[in-house]
Each structure stands twice: as structure tokens, then as C-alpha cells.
């Protein structure tokens, strides 16, 4: 009888010890699971942000191309301004500047012809340049 009580006590102690160890293991596994979930959640957030930024970049590219194509006045104004500046450089008389920065004589002639062609008034006639 005494031996049976002793064995029961030992079994109770073992059960308590195993339960204690199991609870500790469970806590550790839960913590790891939360970490993995947090990492997965963070990864998903980064993926969503990357997709959003890609869409925004594509939209921005599309809008910039469309705005230049859909605004002929802006294109016209810029072309006129470029022509006026090149003419001014040619009039300045310095040999290196007369042909323009990075251009040759053929390009200058083409620019002058383009500026004198119908539909592309000379810089003095431009409505965008100050008098």
C-alpha cells in the first residue's frame, strides 16, 4: 500500500513536470507562429506597396506622354523657343556658337527652314514670345 502511494506520487510529479514543459513548448511555438505570421503579413504589405507603386509609375508615364501629345500649344511654344534661341546663337557671330551647341550646319539649315515653313512662324511672329 505504501509503495502504491509512492508510485502515484511519482506519477503525479511526472505529469505536472511534463505539463509544465508542454506549456513552455506551446508558448514558444505560439511566439514563433506569431513571428512567422508577422513576417508573412509584412511581406504581403510590401508586395501590395510595390504593386501600387508600379501602377502609379505606369499611370504617371502614361499621363506624361498623353499630356505632351494632347497639348500641341506647349509643343509649339517649346519648338518656337528652341528656334529663337538657336537663331540668337547664330546671330551672335562667334564661330563655335554660330553652328549651335552639338549641331552641324545641316541641322541649322533644317531648323531655319522649319522655322520659315508655313504653320511654324518665325520667332518674332510668335504669340508666345515677348515683343
Amino acid at each position: 500500500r505504501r509503495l502504491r502511494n509512492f508510485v502515484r506520487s511519482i506519477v503525479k510529479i511526472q505529469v505536472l513536470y511534463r505539463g509544465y514543459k508542454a506549456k513552455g513548448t506551446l508558448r514558444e511555438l505560439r511566439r514563433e507562429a506569431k513571428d512567422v505570421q508577422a513576417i508573412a503579413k509584412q511581406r504581403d504589405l510590401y508586395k501590395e506597396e510595390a504593386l501600387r507603386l508600379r501602377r502609379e509609375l505606369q499611370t504617371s508615364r502614361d499621363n506624361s506622354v498623353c499630356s505632351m501629345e494632347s497639348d500641341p500649344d506647349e509643343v509649339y511654344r517649346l519648338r518656337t523657343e528652341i528656334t529663337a534661341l538657336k537663331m540668337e546663337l547664330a546671330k551672335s557671330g562667334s564661330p563655335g556658337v554660330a553652328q549651335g551647341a552639338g549641331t552641324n550646319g545641316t541641322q541649322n539649315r533644317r531648323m531655319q527652314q522649319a522655322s520659315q515653313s508655313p504653320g511654324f512662324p518665325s520667332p518674332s511672329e510668335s504669340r508666345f514670345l515677348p515683343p
Side-chain angles (χ1 to χ4, degrees):
R1 182 171 178 126
R2 189 168 175 208
L3 181 62
R4 229 183 294 157
N5 286 337
F6 187 67
V7 170
R8 283 183 190 159
S9 298
I10 289 175
V11 170
K12 283 182 182 179
I13 290 172
Q14 286 177 343
V15 167
L16 289 173
Y17 180 75
R18 288 177 185 157
Y20 175 76
K21 291 294 271 185
K23 284 180 185 178
T25 305
L26 180 63
R27 277 190 214 110
E28 197 171 314
L29 289 173
R30 281 186 182 164
R31 191 176 315 124
E32 287 177 14
K34 284 181 182 177
D35 288 344
V36 171
Q37 288 173 351
I39 291 170
K41 187 176 182 180
Q42 191 69 26
R43 180 200 63 211
D44 293 342
L45 288 174
Y46 285 141
K47 281 183 179 180
E48 289 175 13
E49 185 176 0
L51 286 173
R52 182 186 60 79
L53 290 173
R54 282 187 190 123
R55 280 189 227 116
E56 187 177 315
L57 177 63
Q58 186 62 37
T59 304
S60 174
R61 284 180 181 166
D62 292 345
N63 287 343
S64 68
V65 168
C66 290
S67 69
M68 285 303 289
E69 291 173 355
S70 66
D71 192 6
D73 288 339
E74 180 70 13
V75 173
Y76 176 80
R77 185 186 67 76
L78 291 173
R79 283 184 180 165
T80 306
E81 191 172 336
I82 288 170
T83 304
L85 291 172
K86 286 195 176 191
M87 293 261 223
E88 188 176 321
L89 281 173
K91 287 180 185 177
S92 69
S94 25
V97 179
Q99 291 190 3
T103 62
N104 58 26
T106 306
Q107 288 175 333
N108 279 339
R109 282 191 298 280
R110 286 182 188 156
M111 285 300 296
Q112 288 173 354
Q113 289 170 357
S115 68
Q116 294 169 359
S117 66
F120 197 83
S122 69
S124 61
E125 297 172 0
S126 175
R127 61 186 167 122
F128 294 107
L129 294 176

